Short mmCIF file of all heavy atoms in Angstrom, two decimals:
data_model
loop_
_atom_site.label_atom_id
_atom_site.label_comp_id
_atom_site.label_asym_id
_atom_site.label_seq_id
_atom_site.Cartn_x
_atom_site.Cartn_y
_atom_site.Cartn_z
N MET D 1 10.49 179.76 33.73
CA MET D 1 11.58 180.58 34.31
C MET D 1 11.51 180.39 35.90
O MET D 1 10.61 180.33 36.45
CB MET D 1 11.47 181.99 33.95
CG MET D 1 12.39 182.81 34.60
SD MET D 1 12.45 184.55 33.93
CE MET D 1 13.87 184.47 33.08
N VAL D 2 12.77 180.29 36.48
CA VAL D 2 12.86 180.06 37.86
C VAL D 2 12.80 181.45 38.55
O VAL D 2 13.69 182.28 38.30
CB VAL D 2 14.13 179.34 38.28
CG1 VAL D 2 14.23 179.19 39.69
CG2 VAL D 2 14.11 177.95 37.57
N THR D 3 11.88 181.71 39.42
CA THR D 3 11.83 182.96 40.15
C THR D 3 11.93 182.61 41.63
O THR D 3 11.86 181.44 41.97
CB THR D 3 10.50 183.59 39.87
OG1 THR D 3 9.42 182.80 40.26
CG2 THR D 3 10.39 183.98 38.31
N ALA D 4 12.09 183.61 42.46
CA ALA D 4 12.23 183.43 43.92
C ALA D 4 10.89 182.89 44.33
O ALA D 4 10.87 181.96 45.37
CB ALA D 4 12.53 184.78 44.51
N SER D 5 9.72 183.23 43.90
CA SER D 5 8.46 182.71 44.31
C SER D 5 8.36 181.13 44.02
O SER D 5 7.96 180.45 44.89
CB SER D 5 7.32 183.39 43.58
OG SER D 5 6.07 182.82 43.83
N ARG D 6 8.83 180.72 42.96
CA ARG D 6 8.73 179.35 42.49
C ARG D 6 9.72 178.56 43.39
O ARG D 6 9.32 177.39 43.84
CB ARG D 6 9.08 179.15 41.09
CG ARG D 6 7.90 179.62 40.28
CD ARG D 6 8.02 179.32 38.73
NE ARG D 6 6.87 179.63 38.04
CZ ARG D 6 6.75 179.89 36.76
NH1 ARG D 6 7.93 179.85 36.05
NH2 ARG D 6 5.66 180.22 36.18
N VAL D 7 10.88 178.97 43.63
CA VAL D 7 11.84 178.33 44.41
C VAL D 7 11.36 178.22 45.98
O VAL D 7 11.38 177.10 46.49
CB VAL D 7 13.15 179.08 44.52
CG1 VAL D 7 14.14 178.47 45.56
CG2 VAL D 7 13.84 178.96 43.10
N THR D 8 10.69 179.22 46.43
CA THR D 8 10.13 179.26 47.73
C THR D 8 8.96 178.22 47.82
O THR D 8 8.93 177.48 48.81
CB THR D 8 9.64 180.70 48.09
OG1 THR D 8 10.67 181.56 48.00
CG2 THR D 8 9.05 180.68 49.44
N TRP D 9 8.11 178.21 46.85
CA TRP D 9 7.02 177.24 46.85
C TRP D 9 7.58 175.86 46.80
O TRP D 9 7.09 174.97 47.47
CB TRP D 9 6.09 177.50 45.76
CG TRP D 9 4.96 178.54 46.05
CD1 TRP D 9 4.84 179.83 45.62
CD2 TRP D 9 3.87 178.22 46.91
NE1 TRP D 9 3.86 180.31 46.16
CE2 TRP D 9 3.23 179.49 46.87
CE3 TRP D 9 3.48 177.27 47.72
CZ2 TRP D 9 2.09 179.70 47.70
CZ3 TRP D 9 2.28 177.49 48.57
CH2 TRP D 9 1.59 178.62 48.46
N PHE D 10 8.55 175.58 45.98
CA PHE D 10 9.20 174.20 45.86
C PHE D 10 9.76 173.82 47.20
O PHE D 10 9.45 172.67 47.66
CB PHE D 10 10.19 174.21 44.80
CG PHE D 10 10.73 172.77 44.57
CD1 PHE D 10 10.11 171.90 43.83
CD2 PHE D 10 11.88 172.40 45.25
CE1 PHE D 10 10.62 170.64 43.52
CE2 PHE D 10 12.41 171.11 45.03
CZ PHE D 10 11.69 170.24 44.24
N LEU D 11 10.61 174.68 47.79
CA LEU D 11 11.10 174.30 49.04
C LEU D 11 10.17 174.03 50.19
O LEU D 11 10.21 173.07 50.94
CB LEU D 11 12.18 175.40 49.62
CG LEU D 11 13.40 175.52 48.81
CD1 LEU D 11 14.35 176.64 49.22
CD2 LEU D 11 14.17 174.17 48.82
N VAL D 12 9.19 174.87 50.27
CA VAL D 12 8.11 174.78 51.32
C VAL D 12 7.30 173.44 51.08
O VAL D 12 7.16 172.66 52.04
CB VAL D 12 7.17 175.98 51.30
CG1 VAL D 12 5.87 175.67 52.20
CG2 VAL D 12 7.81 177.18 51.88
N ALA D 13 6.97 173.20 49.94
CA ALA D 13 6.18 171.94 49.55
C ALA D 13 7.03 170.73 49.70
O ALA D 13 6.53 169.68 50.31
CB ALA D 13 5.70 172.02 48.18
N PHE D 14 8.30 170.79 49.42
CA PHE D 14 9.10 169.68 49.50
C PHE D 14 9.51 169.30 51.08
O PHE D 14 9.31 168.16 51.45
CB PHE D 14 10.60 169.91 48.75
CG PHE D 14 11.43 168.70 48.89
CD1 PHE D 14 11.28 167.66 48.05
CD2 PHE D 14 12.56 168.76 49.76
CE1 PHE D 14 12.11 166.57 48.13
CE2 PHE D 14 13.43 167.64 49.82
CZ PHE D 14 13.19 166.65 49.02
N LEU D 15 9.69 170.43 51.74
CA LEU D 15 9.93 170.18 53.19
C LEU D 15 8.79 169.74 53.99
O LEU D 15 8.88 169.11 55.03
CB LEU D 15 10.61 171.47 53.80
CG LEU D 15 11.89 171.79 53.27
CD1 LEU D 15 12.43 173.17 53.90
CD2 LEU D 15 12.92 170.74 53.68
N PHE D 16 7.59 170.11 53.46
CA PHE D 16 6.41 169.72 54.16
C PHE D 16 6.07 168.18 53.69
O PHE D 16 5.54 167.42 54.48
CB PHE D 16 5.22 170.60 53.73
CG PHE D 16 3.92 170.33 54.35
CD1 PHE D 16 3.76 170.66 55.76
CD2 PHE D 16 2.97 169.79 53.71
CE1 PHE D 16 2.54 170.27 56.32
CE2 PHE D 16 1.69 169.44 54.36
CZ PHE D 16 1.52 169.76 55.65
N GLY D 17 6.26 167.86 52.48
CA GLY D 17 5.90 166.52 51.95
C GLY D 17 6.86 165.48 52.16
O GLY D 17 6.43 164.30 52.36
N LEU D 18 8.20 165.75 52.47
CA LEU D 18 9.14 164.73 52.70
C LEU D 18 8.81 163.93 53.96
O LEU D 18 8.73 162.72 53.98
CB LEU D 18 10.44 165.23 52.74
CG LEU D 18 11.68 164.25 52.86
CD1 LEU D 18 11.60 163.23 51.77
CD2 LEU D 18 12.98 164.94 53.04
N PRO D 19 8.56 164.57 55.12
CA PRO D 19 8.23 163.73 56.31
C PRO D 19 7.03 162.89 56.20
O PRO D 19 6.98 161.83 56.59
CB PRO D 19 8.24 164.66 57.52
CG PRO D 19 8.74 166.02 56.94
CD PRO D 19 8.66 165.97 55.48
N ILE D 20 5.99 163.44 55.49
CA ILE D 20 4.82 162.74 55.33
C ILE D 20 5.01 161.49 54.39
O ILE D 20 4.57 160.35 54.74
CB ILE D 20 3.75 163.64 54.65
CG1 ILE D 20 3.39 164.79 55.68
CG2 ILE D 20 2.49 162.89 54.23
CD1 ILE D 20 2.55 165.91 55.03
N MET D 21 5.78 161.72 53.43
CA MET D 21 6.18 160.55 52.54
C MET D 21 6.88 159.51 53.23
O MET D 21 6.79 158.31 53.00
CB MET D 21 6.80 160.99 51.26
CG MET D 21 5.90 161.83 50.26
SD MET D 21 4.51 160.79 49.71
CE MET D 21 3.16 161.49 50.63
N LEU D 22 7.79 159.93 54.00
CA LEU D 22 8.57 159.00 54.84
C LEU D 22 7.72 158.20 55.84
O LEU D 22 8.00 156.93 55.95
CB LEU D 22 9.65 159.62 55.60
CG LEU D 22 11.02 160.07 54.95
CD1 LEU D 22 11.78 160.88 55.79
CD2 LEU D 22 11.73 158.79 54.50
N LEU D 23 6.81 158.85 56.34
CA LEU D 23 5.84 157.99 57.24
C LEU D 23 5.02 156.98 56.51
O LEU D 23 4.74 155.96 56.90
CB LEU D 23 4.97 159.04 57.98
CG LEU D 23 5.64 159.80 59.17
CD1 LEU D 23 4.62 160.77 59.78
CD2 LEU D 23 6.10 158.81 60.25
N MET D 24 4.62 157.45 55.27
CA MET D 24 3.68 156.60 54.43
C MET D 24 4.42 155.45 53.76
O MET D 24 3.93 154.36 53.57
CB MET D 24 2.98 157.40 53.42
CG MET D 24 1.94 158.42 53.88
SD MET D 24 1.27 159.42 52.68
CE MET D 24 0.65 158.15 51.56
N LEU D 25 5.77 155.71 53.43
CA LEU D 25 6.42 154.66 52.64
C LEU D 25 7.49 153.89 53.43
O LEU D 25 8.15 153.07 52.96
CB LEU D 25 7.18 155.39 51.57
CG LEU D 25 6.24 156.11 50.46
CD1 LEU D 25 7.12 156.86 49.50
CD2 LEU D 25 5.43 155.11 49.81
N ARG D 26 7.48 154.01 54.78
CA ARG D 26 8.46 153.31 55.56
C ARG D 26 8.14 151.81 55.69
O ARG D 26 6.95 151.43 55.51
CB ARG D 26 8.67 153.89 56.92
CG ARG D 26 7.41 153.68 57.79
CD ARG D 26 7.66 154.34 59.14
NE ARG D 26 6.43 154.14 60.02
CZ ARG D 26 6.30 154.54 61.19
NH1 ARG D 26 7.27 155.28 61.71
NH2 ARG D 26 5.16 154.44 61.83
N ASP D 27 9.16 151.02 55.91
CA ASP D 27 8.99 149.59 56.04
C ASP D 27 8.58 149.24 57.43
O ASP D 27 8.59 150.02 58.23
CB ASP D 27 10.23 148.81 55.59
CG ASP D 27 10.61 149.17 54.15
OD1 ASP D 27 9.86 149.37 53.37
OD2 ASP D 27 11.90 149.15 53.91
N ASP D 28 8.36 147.95 57.70
CA ASP D 28 8.03 147.48 59.08
C ASP D 28 9.16 147.65 60.04
O ASP D 28 8.99 147.91 61.21
CB ASP D 28 7.60 145.94 58.95
CG ASP D 28 6.27 145.90 58.33
OD1 ASP D 28 5.46 146.81 58.28
OD2 ASP D 28 5.93 144.70 57.80
N GLU D 29 10.38 147.62 59.46
CA GLU D 29 11.62 147.69 60.27
C GLU D 29 12.01 149.17 60.55
O GLU D 29 12.89 149.49 61.19
CB GLU D 29 12.82 147.03 59.62
CG GLU D 29 12.58 145.50 59.41
CD GLU D 29 11.98 145.25 58.04
OE1 GLU D 29 12.14 146.06 57.12
OE2 GLU D 29 11.06 144.28 58.07
N GLY D 30 11.36 150.08 59.87
CA GLY D 30 11.72 151.52 59.86
C GLY D 30 12.01 152.01 58.53
O GLY D 30 11.56 151.45 57.58
N THR D 31 12.86 153.13 58.49
CA THR D 31 13.05 153.68 57.14
C THR D 31 14.38 153.06 56.66
O THR D 31 15.44 152.90 57.21
CB THR D 31 13.33 155.21 57.29
OG1 THR D 31 14.29 155.48 58.32
CG2 THR D 31 12.03 155.89 57.62
N SER D 32 14.21 152.49 55.41
CA SER D 32 15.47 151.98 54.72
C SER D 32 15.87 152.88 53.66
O SER D 32 15.19 153.87 53.30
CB SER D 32 14.99 150.55 54.11
OG SER D 32 14.07 150.74 53.19
N ARG D 33 16.85 152.45 52.99
CA ARG D 33 17.45 153.31 51.78
C ARG D 33 16.37 153.39 50.76
O ARG D 33 16.21 154.46 50.18
CB ARG D 33 18.72 152.60 51.33
CG ARG D 33 19.44 153.40 50.19
CD ARG D 33 20.64 152.71 49.75
NE ARG D 33 21.16 153.32 48.60
CZ ARG D 33 22.22 154.11 48.67
NH1 ARG D 33 22.74 154.49 49.82
NH2 ARG D 33 22.60 154.77 47.47
N SER D 34 15.68 152.36 50.42
CA SER D 34 14.77 152.44 49.32
C SER D 34 13.56 153.31 49.70
O SER D 34 12.97 153.99 48.87
CB SER D 34 14.27 151.03 48.91
OG SER D 34 13.61 150.45 50.03
N SER D 35 13.10 153.27 50.92
CA SER D 35 12.04 154.12 51.32
C SER D 35 12.40 155.56 51.32
O SER D 35 11.62 156.44 50.93
CB SER D 35 11.49 153.59 52.72
OG SER D 35 12.45 153.87 53.78
N TRP D 36 13.65 155.80 51.57
CA TRP D 36 14.15 157.30 51.56
C TRP D 36 14.16 157.75 50.09
O TRP D 36 13.72 158.83 49.87
CB TRP D 36 15.62 157.34 52.15
CG TRP D 36 15.60 157.70 53.64
CD1 TRP D 36 15.77 156.94 54.57
CD2 TRP D 36 15.52 159.08 54.11
NE1 TRP D 36 15.76 157.64 55.75
CE2 TRP D 36 15.54 158.98 55.51
CE3 TRP D 36 15.31 160.31 53.60
CZ2 TRP D 36 15.48 160.07 56.45
CZ3 TRP D 36 15.14 161.36 54.40
CH2 TRP D 36 15.25 161.26 55.83
N ILE D 37 14.59 156.84 49.24
CA ILE D 37 14.75 157.31 47.84
C ILE D 37 13.26 157.57 47.25
O ILE D 37 13.03 158.45 46.62
CB ILE D 37 15.39 156.19 46.97
CG1 ILE D 37 16.86 156.16 47.49
CG2 ILE D 37 15.30 156.49 45.51
CD1 ILE D 37 17.71 155.01 46.91
N GLN D 38 12.38 156.56 47.61
CA GLN D 38 10.97 156.66 47.11
C GLN D 38 10.36 157.98 47.74
O GLN D 38 9.52 158.76 46.94
CB GLN D 38 10.13 155.48 47.46
CG GLN D 38 10.54 154.28 46.73
CD GLN D 38 9.73 153.11 47.25
OE1 GLN D 38 9.13 153.21 48.19
NE2 GLN D 38 9.91 151.92 46.57
N ALA D 39 10.58 158.22 49.00
CA ALA D 39 9.99 159.41 49.63
C ALA D 39 10.54 160.79 48.98
O ALA D 39 9.81 161.69 48.73
CB ALA D 39 10.26 159.44 51.08
N VAL D 40 11.84 160.78 48.80
CA VAL D 40 12.39 161.99 48.17
C VAL D 40 11.85 162.24 46.67
O VAL D 40 11.49 163.32 46.38
CB VAL D 40 13.99 161.89 48.07
CG1 VAL D 40 14.59 162.98 47.21
CG2 VAL D 40 14.55 162.04 49.57
N ILE D 41 11.73 161.18 45.96
CA ILE D 41 11.29 161.30 44.62
C ILE D 41 9.77 161.81 44.60
O ILE D 41 9.46 162.57 43.90
CB ILE D 41 11.48 160.04 43.79
CG1 ILE D 41 12.89 159.74 43.63
CG2 ILE D 41 10.63 160.05 42.51
CD1 ILE D 41 13.26 158.40 42.93
N PHE D 42 8.99 161.11 45.43
CA PHE D 42 7.59 161.35 45.56
C PHE D 42 7.45 162.91 45.98
O PHE D 42 6.56 163.64 45.54
CB PHE D 42 6.90 160.46 46.40
CG PHE D 42 5.40 160.36 46.17
CD1 PHE D 42 4.91 159.31 45.46
CD2 PHE D 42 4.53 161.29 46.67
CE1 PHE D 42 3.47 159.20 45.23
CE2 PHE D 42 3.18 161.23 46.50
CZ PHE D 42 2.57 160.22 45.73
N ALA D 43 8.20 163.28 46.98
CA ALA D 43 8.06 164.66 47.62
C ALA D 43 8.42 165.67 46.58
O ALA D 43 7.83 166.75 46.42
CB ALA D 43 8.79 164.84 48.87
N ALA D 44 9.53 165.29 45.76
CA ALA D 44 9.90 166.26 44.76
C ALA D 44 8.85 166.38 43.56
O ALA D 44 8.68 167.55 43.13
CB ALA D 44 11.23 165.81 44.07
N VAL D 45 8.29 165.33 43.24
CA VAL D 45 7.22 165.46 42.28
C VAL D 45 6.07 166.28 42.72
O VAL D 45 5.43 167.02 42.06
CB VAL D 45 6.77 164.00 41.76
CG1 VAL D 45 5.54 163.99 40.92
CG2 VAL D 45 7.92 163.33 41.04
N MET D 46 5.69 165.95 43.94
CA MET D 46 4.51 166.72 44.57
C MET D 46 4.90 168.17 44.71
O MET D 46 4.07 169.02 44.36
CB MET D 46 4.14 166.21 45.92
CG MET D 46 3.44 164.98 45.95
SD MET D 46 2.86 164.24 47.49
CE MET D 46 3.33 165.39 48.70
N ALA D 47 6.13 168.52 45.06
CA ALA D 47 6.47 169.95 45.22
C ALA D 47 6.60 170.55 43.78
O ALA D 47 6.29 171.79 43.71
CB ALA D 47 7.93 169.93 45.80
N ALA D 48 7.00 169.92 42.74
CA ALA D 48 6.98 170.45 41.34
C ALA D 48 5.52 170.79 40.92
O ALA D 48 5.31 171.83 40.30
CB ALA D 48 7.67 169.46 40.38
N ILE D 49 4.60 169.88 41.25
CA ILE D 49 3.24 170.16 40.86
C ILE D 49 2.67 171.36 41.72
O ILE D 49 2.03 172.23 41.04
CB ILE D 49 2.32 168.90 41.06
CG1 ILE D 49 2.71 167.80 40.16
CG2 ILE D 49 0.88 169.20 41.06
CD1 ILE D 49 2.17 166.46 40.49
N VAL D 50 2.97 171.47 42.95
CA VAL D 50 2.54 172.59 43.74
C VAL D 50 3.21 173.93 43.23
O VAL D 50 2.47 174.89 43.07
CB VAL D 50 2.90 172.39 45.13
CG1 VAL D 50 2.62 173.73 45.93
CG2 VAL D 50 2.02 171.36 45.81
N THR D 51 4.42 173.76 42.76
CA THR D 51 5.09 174.98 42.31
C THR D 51 4.55 175.48 41.01
O THR D 51 4.37 176.66 40.69
CB THR D 51 6.58 174.58 42.07
OG1 THR D 51 7.18 174.31 43.31
CG2 THR D 51 7.33 175.84 41.52
N LEU D 52 4.18 174.47 40.10
CA LEU D 52 3.55 174.81 38.79
C LEU D 52 2.20 175.60 39.00
O LEU D 52 1.93 176.48 38.31
CB LEU D 52 3.33 173.69 37.92
CG LEU D 52 4.56 173.00 37.41
CD1 LEU D 52 4.20 171.66 36.58
CD2 LEU D 52 5.09 173.94 36.35
N PHE D 53 1.35 175.16 40.02
CA PHE D 53 0.09 175.83 40.21
C PHE D 53 0.09 176.97 41.07
O PHE D 53 -0.71 177.99 40.85
CB PHE D 53 -0.83 174.74 40.76
CG PHE D 53 -1.34 173.82 39.71
CD1 PHE D 53 -0.84 172.42 39.80
CD2 PHE D 53 -2.20 174.00 38.82
CE1 PHE D 53 -1.29 171.55 38.90
CE2 PHE D 53 -2.63 173.19 37.80
CZ PHE D 53 -2.15 171.88 37.77
N LEU D 54 1.00 177.10 42.02
CA LEU D 54 0.99 178.25 43.03
C LEU D 54 2.14 179.19 42.69
O LEU D 54 2.04 180.38 43.29
CB LEU D 54 1.08 177.69 44.37
CG LEU D 54 -0.24 176.88 44.76
CD1 LEU D 54 -0.10 176.34 46.16
CD2 LEU D 54 -1.55 177.47 44.52
N GLY D 55 3.29 178.82 42.19
CA GLY D 55 4.28 179.82 41.95
C GLY D 55 4.01 180.79 40.96
O GLY D 55 3.52 180.57 39.88
N LYS D 56 4.42 182.08 41.35
CA LYS D 56 4.19 183.10 40.29
C LYS D 56 5.49 183.44 39.53
O LYS D 56 6.56 183.51 40.06
CB LYS D 56 3.88 184.44 41.17
CG LYS D 56 2.68 184.27 42.04
CD LYS D 56 1.43 184.56 41.29
CE LYS D 56 0.41 184.73 42.37
NZ LYS D 56 -0.81 183.98 42.05
N GLY D 57 5.31 183.59 38.32
CA GLY D 57 6.53 183.87 37.41
C GLY D 57 6.12 184.88 36.47
O GLY D 57 4.96 185.37 36.40
N ARG D 58 7.04 185.33 35.58
CA ARG D 58 6.71 186.33 34.60
C ARG D 58 5.93 185.67 33.59
O ARG D 58 6.23 184.70 33.03
CB ARG D 58 8.09 186.83 34.00
CG ARG D 58 8.80 187.67 34.95
CD ARG D 58 10.02 188.28 34.22
NE ARG D 58 11.08 188.33 35.25
CZ ARG D 58 12.28 188.26 34.96
NH1 ARG D 58 12.70 188.07 33.65
NH2 ARG D 58 13.25 188.32 35.76
N ARG D 59 4.85 186.29 33.20
CA ARG D 59 3.95 185.78 32.11
C ARG D 59 3.71 186.82 31.10
O ARG D 59 3.73 187.94 31.18
CB ARG D 59 2.54 185.36 32.71
CG ARG D 59 2.92 184.11 33.62
CD ARG D 59 1.66 183.67 34.26
NE ARG D 59 2.01 182.59 35.19
CZ ARG D 59 1.06 181.88 35.76
NH1 ARG D 59 -0.10 182.11 35.63
NH2 ARG D 59 1.53 180.90 36.60
#
C-alpha cells in the first residue's frame, strides 16, 4: 500500500540518487540521452529498494 512515508522515502532516495547516477553513468562528452535514461532507471530502482526497507506502511 502506498503511504505518505513510502512516497517520502521514494522521493528522497530518488532525488539523492539521480545526480550520483548521472555522474557515474555520463559519457566522455557529457550527459547524453542514453545516460539520462539509464540514470533515471537506476535511481528509480534504488529508490524502490530503499522504500521497501525503510518505508513504514500498515501491516
Side-chain angles (χ1 to χ4, degrees):
M1 175 170 251
V2 177
T3 62
S5 173
R6 288 185 175 158
V7 170
T8 303
W9 274 108
F10 183 84
L11 288 176
V12 169
F14 183 78
L15 292 176
F16 185 74
L18 184 60
I20 295 169
M21 289 300 104
L22 277 172
L23 286 174
M24 289 178 56
L25 298 172
R26 69 179 176 182
D27 300 329
D28 292 334
E29 302 87 34
T31 54
S32 64
R33 181 180 174 98
S34 65
S35 63
W36 267 99
I37 292 170
Q38 290 174 351
V40 167
I41 290 171
F42 201 101
V45 169
M46 286 183 5
I49 292 170
V50 168
T51 301
L52 285 174
F53 285 106
L54 299 178
K56 304 272 191 231
R58 288 188 219 151
R59 294 180 183 184

